[in-house]
Amino acid sequence: WLAYFIFPIPIAMFMKRYSYKAGIIFGLLLAAVGGLLFFPAAMLKEYWAYLCIFFIIATGMCFLETAANPYVTVLGAPETAPRRLNLAQSFNGLGCICGPLVGGLLLFSEEGSSHISFPYMLMGIVVLGVALVFSRIKLPEIVHADEVTETGSKQGLWSHKLFVFGVFALFCYEVAEISINSFFINYVVDDGWMNARDASVLLSFGGLGLFMCGRFVGSWVMRFIRAERVLLCCAVGTVFATLLVICNLGHISLVALFFVYAFEAIMFPTIFAISLKGLGNHTKRASSYLMMSPIGGAIGPVLMGYVADNSNMSLSFIVPFVAFCVVLFYSLRAEHESIEQ
């Protein structure tokens, strides 16, 4: 997760000098190299080697997201940017399903982690192929105009209050999302519903399946309802559902946890797109700050684990609950500004 905190700003400088396309291709190449390095790392069997590889992969993903996300938002009309980004990231949900499924079947198999390098090497080969395809495709480069105030002077990035709030809201969203994903199996196993292997399958097809469907449905709904209003409704849903999990109501809480996956699905791309609205020439730099938000994925699980160790798994969901409350306040602000405009 540290890669997402360190590299977004240098990546923005890279894209400003070259292009969105260059950022996407370079990110794919880094991720491919990281995946292929799993083979020598498996021979070394050193923990530090795996950490270095994960850092390389994360840096590649950071490059890819910092370039691709804003690129999708500026390829069409600004008012439809959240819908486009949600649709594009809906396919990300398919990867979210396959990842825990393959990882869970390998990690919780009789052979343990002996085959864990195979999926990463396969990922490296596939991503390398995708990078080759992108290098052959002609993509239009977007030239942003400077945004000016009514007095004719250039408007600074940090004067956009909704963007500043958006950075914090995305950070909180990452705290919530990664914490829930990290402790889903613990929550299900600790309550005695099933074993870890079955829980990993349930996470893939149940929780992350709903997550993928939520993005597809959300992108469709945004054809008829403003993205800000859809975000507000989903934020209310996550706050209420997470509260039910905290209350430890048995199967009601388990069902509520699945609703969290459905409601949170549209949050990242929608907050990202709304926060970039009207930023003009600041878009690439603003994207880099927004892409620093996944550092919340390193902080949230630590906080949630601490609460769980000192109480129980149900009460530990107070961490994502508070984070979703911040997203709710952001959605209220975004909805208010959209009505005024």
Side-chain angles (χ1 to χ4, degrees), residues 152-184:
S153 61
K154 292 183 180 179
Q155 190 170 358
L157 174 61
W158 299 105
S159 64
H160 294 269
K161 295 181 180 179
L162 192 61
F163 160 74
V164 177
F165 197 175
V167 173
F168 183 57
L170 271 186
F171 169 81
C172 291
Y173 166 76
E174 291 288 348
V175 167
E177 182 201 6
I178 304 304
S179 297
I180 293 172
N181 287 344
S182 299
F183 285 94
F184 179 92

Side-chain angles (χ1 to χ4, degrees), residues 135-156:
S135 67
R136 302 283 182 172
I137 296 176
K138 291 184 178 181
L139 296 176
E141 180 59 20
I142 307 298
V143 179
H144 299 285
D146 290 330
E147 185 184 0
V148 297
T149 62
E150 293 180 358
T151 60
S153 61
K154 292 183 180 179
Q155 190 170 358

